[in-house]
Amino acid sequence: MRLGRSMRALSVALTIIGLMALWQIICWAGSIPEYILPPPSDILLRMIEDADSLYRHSLITLWEVFLGFAMAVVIGIPLAILLVYSRYISQSFFPIIVGIHCVPMVSLAPLLIIWFGFGLLTKVLIAFLISFFPIVINTTVGLRSMEKEMLNLAKSLRASSAQTFLYFRLPKALPSIFGGLKVGITLAIVGAIVAEFVASEKGLGYLQLMANSQLDVTMEFAVIFTLGIIGIGLFNLVGWIERLSMPWYHATRKEAD
């Protein structure tokens, strides 16, 4: 198992190195100006030179992402449970949730600034709104995916509603729930960055906005690379929690492969 993970990590690393090398060659061979497309070597050097600034702004963005995502999980999963177990709430609110999900959450940023100002709350709310709906919808779909035969088995074992939920419905729904969490954590990053574009004086979004105003393309790419590292790290963190929560699921997938 560890060998398989090591091989996957190695293949990803080699792919990234190959793409970076191709990018570097194109920049050198095509004599592309740095203000249009800087080579990866310059970007990495800039990341090292401005590591302190990138680190400080990354901590601010990560805090906004964490708070927004945590709100989405704490509110979204219980709401999904209510949607599954309450016919009234399901019929009344689920179509509304789907409809609101179709509205670009970014368009709400100016309103949130008017209501809550330029502070942390606005950025957290935007991260929350963008990550909230995938979590609710995926969790609802997962909780509704339990087969009728499994429900009949729970009834034949005289399981209570709580036992049916804990031992039958929830384990069946966990793959969908974690699918929503993986999408949600990446969208929370998008929400935080968009919020920093609109209303912030710190954070990676603000840093990129300042670099853009100064036509500092190398710094813009340094921020983009940093965001990519953060996104991959957070996605893998959710994946690690998923593996801890569902060892049987991943064992079954490995056997199938």
Side-chain angles (χ1 to χ4, degrees):
M1 184 171 64
R2 291 182 179 178
L3 181 60
R5 290 180 186 174
S6 300
M7 291 300 296
R8 285 195 295 271
L10 179 62
S11 64
V12 171
L14 291 175
T15 302
I16 292 174
I17 292 172
L19 291 174
M20 291 294 181
L22 179 61
W23 182 350
Q24 188 82 24
I25 292 170
I26 291 173
C27 289
W28 283 346
S31 299
I32 301 175
E34 186 177 335
Y35 64 85
I36 293 178
L37 183 65
S41 58
D42 290 355
I43 298 169
L44 295 176
L45 182 62
R46 186 64 176 275
M47 291 177 70
I48 295 172
E49 291 174 350
D50 292 331
D52 183 61
S53 177
L54 288 168
Y55 174 74
R56 285 186 288 106
H57 286 282
S58 295
L59 289 180
I60 294 166
T61 300
L62 275 171
W63 182 236
E64 296 162 358
V65 169
F66 171 76
L67 291 177
F69 179 71
M71 282 181 60
V73 173
V74 170
I75 297 174
I77 292 179
L79 177 59
I81 295 172
L82 288 175
L83 288 171
V84 171
Y85 279 93
S86 173
R87 180 173 296 180
Y88 170 76
I89 293 177
S90 177
Q91 293 177 347
S92 302
F93 286 93
F94 192 71
I96 297 174
I97 290 172
V98 173
I100 295 175
H101 181 46
C102 296
V103 177
M105 292 298 105
V106 175
S107 64
L108 298 179
L111 285 174
L112 293 175
I113 292 171
I114 294 173
W115 293 339
F116 303 106
F118 291 86
L120 175 65
L121 180 59
T122 299
K123 294 180 275 293
V124 171
L125 286 175
I126 294 174
F128 158 72
L129 288 172
I130 292 182
S131 61
F132 172 74
F133 294 99
I135 293 174
V136 173
I137 293 173
N138 277 43
T139 302
T140 302
V141 171
L143 291 172
R144 287 175 173 171
S145 65
M146 190 173 76
E147 295 86 354
K148 189 174 181 180
E149 292 79 6
M150 190 177 293
L151 182 60
N152 292 334
L153 174 61
K155 290 180 180 179
S156 68
L157 294 173
R158 297 182 180 178
S160 64
S161 297
Q163 290 172 329
T164 301
F165 175 78
L166 287 174
Y167 298 114
F168 292 90
R169 195 180 291 274
L170 182 60
K172 177 68 176 178
L174 280 176
S176 295
I177 293 173
F178 276 102
L181 294 179
K182 287 178 179 178
V183 175
I185 193 66
T186 54
L187 290 180
I189 299 173
V190 175
I193 295 300
V194 168
E196 290 171 355
F197 282 160
V198 177
S200 183
E201 295 181 353
K202 48 192 175 181
L204 289 175
Y206 169 78
L207 190 62
Q208 187 175 25
L209 198 63
M210 291 300 99
N212 183 68
S213 66
Q214 298 167 5
L215 297 179
D216 189 352
V217 180
T218 304
M219 189 61 183
E220 288 193 65
F221 272 102
V223 174
I224 291 171
F225 278 26
T226 304
L227 286 171
I229 293 170
I230 291 173
I232 292 171
L234 292 178
F235 185 90
N236 285 324
L237 176 60
V238 176
W240 176 72
I241 297 172
E242 178 188 26
R243 288 192 295 272
L244 291 180
S245 304
M246 302 188 302
W248 71 88
Y249 177 73
H250 290 277
T252 303
R253 288 181 58 185
K254 286 184 176 65
E255 290 176 2
D257 294 339

